Amino acid sequence: QVQLVESGGGLVQAGGSLRLSCVASRNIFSIYVMGWYRQAPGKERESVAVITVGGSTNYAQSVKGRFTISRDSSKNTIYLQMNSLKPEDTGVYYCNADMRQNNFWGQGTQVTVSS
């Protein structure tokens, strides 16, 4: 089992930047895949960026070149650096830990991008 705590959301103007953090309650190298998902009002939750235990990353097409997922194993933390934000990036961002047999979610952090 793992607990995830996100932080770093907020209100930003279009073109601005935010960095989200997700602290895990266990060694992140024990987690198969970690990632960021988001859910906009009235829409389904979607994958934004993921990073595997081996360090491979994958991004949604809509955020490629603007967002970067990274990790700091000494802090059991993953990050999502979001640059050139657009109003369509607005939503609740959730951290996810895929433990193969189980999936765990954080409580989410709100990101609002104004035009």
Side-chain angles (χ1 to χ4, degrees):
Q1 193 161 352
V2 60
Q3 285 77 48
L4 305 168
V5 179
E6 304 103 331
S7 62
L11 173 64
V12 64
Q13 288 188 332
S17 298
L18 283 174
R19 188 177 81 155
L20 306 183
S21 300
C22 170
V23 181
S25 61
R26 62 185 294 164
N27 186 338
I28 60 174
F29 285 134
S30 69
I31 300 171
Y32 178 56
V33 179
M34 293 192 73
W36 291 96
Y37 292 69
R38 68 186 179 191
Q39 188 165 19
K43 294 187 177 181
E44 293 187 355
R45 192 173 298 187
E46 63 175 353
S47 175
V48 175
V50 298
I51 184 166
T52 71
V53 64
S56 299
T57 59
N58 193 47
Y59 296 90
Q61 189 63 39
S62 60
V63 307
K64 279 184 179 178
R66 300 188 297 123
F67 290 11
T68 303
I69 188 170
S70 62
R71 64 188 177 188
D72 184 341
S73 59
S74 68
K75 297 179 180 179
N76 290 331
T77 300
I78 67 166
Y79 303 96
L80 184 68
Q81 178 66 45
M82 306 186 293
N83 299 328
S84 302
L85 283 161
K86 304 176 181 180
E88 50 264 44
D89 293 319
T90 293
V92 180
Y93 283 67
Y94 297 92
C95 181
N96 174 266
D98 179 356
M99 305 285 291
R100 293 187 187 247
Q101 296 88 354
N102 290 293
N103 245 311
F104 297 91
W105 295 92
Q107 81 287 352
T109 185
Q110 176 71 44
V111 172
T112 303
V113 184
S114 63
S115 56

